[in-house]
Amino acid sequence: MKFGGTSMAGTERIRRVANIVRAQAVGRNGEANEVAVVVSAMAGETDRLVNFCREANALYDPAEYDVVVSSGEQVTSGLLALTLQSLGHKARSWLGWQLPVKTEGAHAKARIASIDAPDMVARLEAGEIAVVPGFQGITDEGRISTLGRGGSDTSAVAVAAAVKADRCDIYTDVDGVYTTDPRIVAKARKLKAVTYEEMLELASVGAKVLQTRSVGLAMKAGVRIQVLSSFVDDGAALADDLPGTLIVSDEEMDQMVERGEMERQLVTGIAHDKNEAKVILTRVPDKPGAVAHIFEPLADASINVDMIIQNVGRDKGETDVTFTVPQADLARAQALLEDRREEIGFNRIITDSKIAKISVVGVGMKSHAGVASTMFRALSDRGINIQAISTSEIKVSVMIDEDETELAVRVLHTAYGLDAEE
Ligand code: ASP
Ligand code: MG
């Protein structure tokens, strides 16, 4: 079970969490469960700690940053263990270095290399609840590391994989994964299940329910995830009744469809992302090596390029190249390219951060034609102009004017028959 920052914010909420955890551990009809719980820091706490680091030293050492920011989870894990004990249940915390959660890669954005937890497993089998602070691990040198913001989701999936859990229930402030953002479309529906691939696309294109990396890890390790709300009434459905959204393999999804528990849809969900910016380089030489000159410096600076379009060459052997980068990296990207104007040989840089990327996602489109044309028709009927297009096997994305985001999402939700019935 994993609980996010909103669920852990304050002793009152931690008590509710403890009650949910205890109910799961006690189980139904005398069938107890072995439960490991992964927790986030209290909402806002990690931001507060990051600010302290900035104030202390603007050019902070990432290893010391990790010491500071990992402490939020240390507090909540201890508090949850204490609260469970006060309810009469055996419980203890297992810090990252105690399990241990071994990590590799740079401080502040480490990756989990392995979790070896024989001691914890033995105590689970003896009926003790394990409480694990998310987000933290230990490096080869024995120093504390953290996994990047939102990393507790990944900790939870990694712990679930390590103990071969039946399920990893991720409790959060939403009650599942929706066909689209319910704040934009009132008729958005909660999905009973999505596949890992779909969730990866939905997570990376802006449906921020889970850290993207956690979904990739779950897919690799075969961990079944359920996303569900921790804000439930006392009489609400138990997690075992699967009230949230399951994130599962293609095979399990097929079985659910066969059993009639799910309907196979062409499009599963619609995501939007306003955090990208568009860059156009005009009159780039249309010759081998030209685009390599553009994208190599961006890659070296770890700037993620997403959509790319290169127009066909005009006369004079020139072409325009358009692409998107995260808005936060736009200034840096622009400076890097300006510095290489001669080398790349472009004429002008035009940038625009008032764009949005809208994506329709669904495994169903692997085997069906016409998904993209439905999208283009629906948008054009509302006069929405498409500035760029990109596709994968299970996704079609378009770039549009940011002001038209909400309209586009609504129009597409209807066009693919996703609206909930009245
Ligand atoms: N507390 C960390 C953060 O705010 C990790 C997490 O909650 O997932 O990013
Ligand atoms: Mg989170």
Side-chain angles (χ1 to χ4, degrees), residues 2 4-5 40 149-153 170 172-173 208-211:
K2 185 259 173 179
S40 282
R149 299 304 304 271
S152 293
D153 294 334
I170 299 200
T172 174
D173 46 6
K208 302 175 205 65
V209 188
L210 296 178
Q211 197 197 31

Side-chain angles (χ1 to χ4, degrees), residues 184-199:
I184 296 182
V185 181
K187 289 177 179 175
R189 281 184 294 119
K190 188 170 80 192
L191 292 157
K192 200 171 158 59
V194 293
T195 68
Y196 296 121
E197 270 181 299
E198 288 171 328
M199 194 61 211

Side-chain angles (χ1 to χ4, degrees), residues 157 167-168 170 176-177 191-200 203 209-210 214-216 218-219 222-228 244-250 252-253 256:
V157 171
R167 213 172 57 229
C168 177
I170 299 200
V177 179
L191 292 157
K192 200 171 158 59
V194 293
T195 68
Y196 296 121
E197 270 181 299
E198 288 171 328
M199 194 61 211
L200 274 175
V209 188
L210 296 178
S214 70
V215 184
M219 176 155 115
V223 173
R224 304 168 68 234
I225 297 179
Q226 175 175 215
V227 174
L228 70 173
T245 300
L246 279 176
I247 306 173
V248 296
S249 64
D250 270 353
E252 184 166 349
M253 180 67 98
M256 292 179 79

